[in-house]
């Protein structure tokens, strides 16, 4: 089955700086890669996603890059703000999205004022 | 947007009892739903996939007789934790597959505490 590795587990950055979280996956059949933000006790919130036919996607301060050959994808947050503090999860899905998601272990992002 | 309503949000039960968690798709039909479990400070782990009108598919290591899943209609999937024990205490979240546009939408989660 799919295995998703996520690094780092904790990331502390100064407000206004950029944050990068990286994930690797094992199943070459995976074709959908979402990123979620989760606050304590709440449901995961989709912040951005990318499919395997695209190498990069951007939405305001958030961007995701995908390298299919190397099987890794990354989340980039620029101009970080205090409200960006949360746990972020990457995930991967194969089977055209008909399968469930395999999540990384999560990154606790801390934005220092 | 597509909304999945999950109930209850919190439940406390005694060891040995059963608890049912419901997930309803409010404005769309969910042919496929997924059930995840999340222990404190850990990631979400897929437990099972439920398909309307057929038996659920369980992930390795998940006891199908303990976690009963029913997906009898296109808008409702239920997870019943049978003979609950303290180690079953966790955050359970359902998710529906969105057809067409793809992606997944999540329920709000159920915090289960077994005492």
């Amino acid at each position: 089955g799919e295995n998703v590795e996520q690094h780092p587990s904790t990331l502390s950055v100064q407000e206004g700086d950029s944050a990068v979280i990286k994930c690797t996956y094992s199943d070459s059949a995976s074709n959908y890669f979402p990123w979620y933000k989760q606050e304590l006790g709440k449901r995961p919130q989709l912040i951005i996603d990318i499919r395997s036919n695209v190498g990069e996607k951007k939405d305001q301060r958030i961007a995701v890059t995908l390298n299919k050959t190397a099987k890794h994808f990354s989340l980039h947050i620029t101009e970080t703000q205090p409200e960006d503090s949360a746990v972020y999860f990457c995930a991967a899905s194969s089977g055209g999205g008909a399968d469930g998601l395999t999540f990384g272990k999560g990154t606790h992002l801390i934005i220092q004022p | 947007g597509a909304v999945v309503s999950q109930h209850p949000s919190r439940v406390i039960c005694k060891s040995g009892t059963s608890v049912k968690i419901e997930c309803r798709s409010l404005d769309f039909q969910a042919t496929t739903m997924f059930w995840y479990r999340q222990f404190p400070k850990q990631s979400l782990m897929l437990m099972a996939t439920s398909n309307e009108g057929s038996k659920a598919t369980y992930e390795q290591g998940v006891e199908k007789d303990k976690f009963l899943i029913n997906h009898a209609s296109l808008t409702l999937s239920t997870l019943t934790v049978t003979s609950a024990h303290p180690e079953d205490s966790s955050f359970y979240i359902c998710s529906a597959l969105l057809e067409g546009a793809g992606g997944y939408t999540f329920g709000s989660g159920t915090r289960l505490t077994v005492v």
Side-chain angles (χ1 to χ4, degrees), chain A residues 61-111:
Chain A
R61 297 187 296 112
I62 295 171
V64 57
T65 58
L66 171 65
N67 183 326
K68 276 187 65 178
T69 304
K71 296 200 193 77
H72 65 70
F73 56 114
S74 301
L75 176 71
H76 303 253
I77 305 174
T78 59
E79 300 171 25
T80 53
Q81 300 167 3
E83 52 265 36
D84 295 329
S85 295
V87 178
Y88 290 80
F89 292 98
C90 62
S93 172
S94 58
D99 293 343
L101 291 163
T102 299
F103 285 84
K105 291 193 185 303
T107 296
H108 184 193
L109 177 62
I110 302 165
I111 308 300

Side-chain angles (χ1 to χ4, degrees), chain A residues 38 43 93 97 99-101 104, chain B residues 34 36 38 43 97 104 106-108:
Chain A
Q38 188 181 32
R43 79 186 86 195
S93 172
D99 293 343
L101 291 163
Chain B
F34 306 95
Y36 297 85
Q38 185 176 30
S43 187
L97 177 67
Y104 305 80
F106 285 84
S108 53

Side-chain angles (χ1 to χ4, degrees), chain B residues 26-71:
Chain B
L26 297 187
D27 49 4
F28 68 103
Q29 293 183 330
T31 308
T32 304
M33 278 203 178
F34 306 95
W35 287 93
Y36 297 85
R37 178 168 54 183
Q38 185 176 30
F39 291 109
K41 297 188 178 181
Q42 293 189 25
S43 187
L44 288 82
M45 297 295 292
L46 180 65
M47 298 175 66
T49 301
S50 79
N51 294 290
E52 185 269 334
S54 63
K55 288 184 178 181
T57 304
Y58 291 82
E59 296 298 303
Q60 194 170 7
V62 178
E63 300 173 59
K64 62 180 181 180
D65 294 330
K66 180 171 183 62
F67 299 99
L68 301 179
I69 290 172
N70 185 286
H71 195 159

Side-chain angles (χ1 to χ4, degrees), chain A:
Chain A
E2 175 66 277
N3 181 48
V4 176
E5 298 282 343
Q6 182 172 348
H7 299 280
S9 57
T10 304
L11 178 60
S12 182
V13 301
Q14 289 293 125
E15 183 179 350
D17 287 351
S18 296
V20 181
I21 303 171
K22 299 182 178 182
C23 287
T24 60
Y25 62 98
S26 61
D27 189 349
S28 56
S30 288
N31 56 14
Y32 177 64
F33 307 93
W35 285 89
Y36 293 93
K37 178 182 181 182
Q38 188 181 32
E39 295 176 5
L40 193 63
K42 303 266 179 87
R43 79 186 86 195
Q45 287 180 283
L46 179 69
I47 55 171
I48 197 166
D49 58 8
I50 193 167
R51 295 191 181 272
S52 58
N53 57 348
V54 176
E56 185 174 356
K57 184 176 177 181
K58 190 173 181 181
D59 182 4
Q60 299 184 343
R61 297 187 296 112
I62 295 171
V64 57
T65 58
L66 171 65
N67 183 326
K68 276 187 65 178
T69 304
K71 296 200 193 77
H72 65 70
F73 56 114
S74 301
L75 176 71
H76 303 253
I77 305 174
T78 59
E79 300 171 25
T80 53
Q81 300 167 3
E83 52 265 36
D84 295 329
S85 295
V87 178
Y88 290 80
F89 292 98
C90 62
S93 172
S94 58
D99 293 343
L101 291 163
T102 299
F103 285 84
K105 291 193 185 303
T107 296
H108 184 193
L109 177 62
I110 302 165
I111 308 300
Q112 304 276 9

